[in-house]
């Protein structure tokens, strides 16, 4: 029903924002990935939206990109996953990270999201397989990196480093480095 909002950003109270569209203030729930991309209050903001009507509420969800909104829509189609859980998943993982987890069937990445247990993570992986990430260019690039680089990155993330730091450490590694040596070199680089 409401597919897009463009207006003045009045308030930012995570995960909810208030957008004034020609005198009408819309309360919109957004994932943290979108929240961090928002301009300062008083500035113009444009969001793609998904409108949910329930027996006890009408809630508008907003997204910075079409891929975020599509991922949200795929998530809420899964039995037992409601809009709040979908928002939580998109707040904890970028669409690219979610697509990579689905492609690699890595429940461990999804379980790290608050409110997602092992069974829910496995259901997400099963239901989203083949539906999410096929059109994401970043996913194709990530799968072409090679098994060693992917294993090194996984190891760094398992040790508690975020994906950004792990990726930066990977870029500093020499080409063709083995997994064990790559992990040691990456840890040295991250320790600096």
């Amino acid at each position: 029903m409401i597919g897009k909002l463009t207006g003045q950003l009045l308030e930012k109270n995570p995960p909810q924002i208030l957008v004034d569209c020609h005198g009408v203030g819309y309360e919109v729930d957004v994932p943290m990935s979108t929240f961090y991309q928002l301009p300062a209050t008083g500035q113009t903001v444009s969001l793609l939206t998904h409108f949910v009507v329930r027996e006890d509420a009408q809630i508008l969800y907003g997204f910075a990109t079409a891929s975020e909104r599509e991922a949200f829509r795929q998530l809420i189609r899964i039995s037992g996953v409601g809009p709040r859980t979908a928002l939580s998943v998109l707040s904890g993982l970028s669409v690219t990270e979610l697509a990579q987890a689905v492609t690699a069937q890595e429940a461990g990445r999804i379980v790290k999201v608050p409110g997602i247990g092992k069974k829910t993570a496995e259901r997400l992986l099963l239901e989203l397989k083949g539906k999410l990430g096929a059109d994401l260019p970043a996913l194709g690039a990530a799968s072409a990196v090679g098994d060693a680089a992917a294993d090194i990155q996984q190891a760094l993330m398992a040790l508690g480093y975020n994906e950004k730091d792990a990726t930066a450490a990977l870029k500093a590694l020499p080409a063709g480095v083995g997994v064990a040596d790559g992990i040691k070199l990456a840890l040295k680089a991250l320790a600096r």
Side-chain angles (χ1 to χ4, degrees), residues 2 5 17-21 24-28 60:
I2 300 172
L5 285 179
I17 62 172
L18 182 64
V19 180
D20 178 12
C21 298
V24 178
Y26 291 93
E27 290 179 340
V28 184
L60 198 56

Side-chain angles (χ1 to χ4, degrees), residues 19-143:
V19 180
D20 178 12
C21 298
H22 303 290
V24 178
Y26 291 93
E27 290 179 340
V28 184
D29 287 6
V30 296
M32 294 311 291
S33 53
T34 294
F35 190 84
Y36 293 134
Q37 295 179 35
L38 292 173
T41 54
Q43 300 291 316
T44 299
V45 66
S46 186
L47 296 169
L48 297 170
T49 61
H50 181 85
F51 188 54
V52 174
V53 177
R54 294 191 331 224
E55 190 175 297
D56 60 341
Q58 295 182 18
I59 306 168
L60 198 56
Y61 295 93
F63 307 94
T65 65
S67 61
E68 273 186 342
R69 181 172 67 175
E70 182 56 32
F72 177 83
R73 288 176 172 171
Q74 290 290 341
L75 286 165
I76 62 174
R77 287 186 186 123
I78 298 170
S79 174
V81 177
R84 288 274 172 220
T85 303
L87 208 63
S88 182
V89 169
L90 291 175
S91 291
L93 296 169
S94 70
V95 176
T96 304
E97 292 168 337
L98 179 60
Q100 289 171 345
V102 168
T103 301
Q105 292 293 291
E106 297 176 287
R109 288 174 88 172
I110 298 173
V111 171
K112 291 179 183 176
V113 175
I116 303 291
K118 186 175 181 185
K119 286 184 180 181
T120 305
E122 289 171 353
R123 190 175 336 115
L124 287 176
L125 293 177
L126 182 65
E127 297 270 343
L128 292 175
K129 190 171 187 175
K131 296 179 185 172
L132 189 66
D135 58 345
L136 293 176
L139 183 60
S143 61

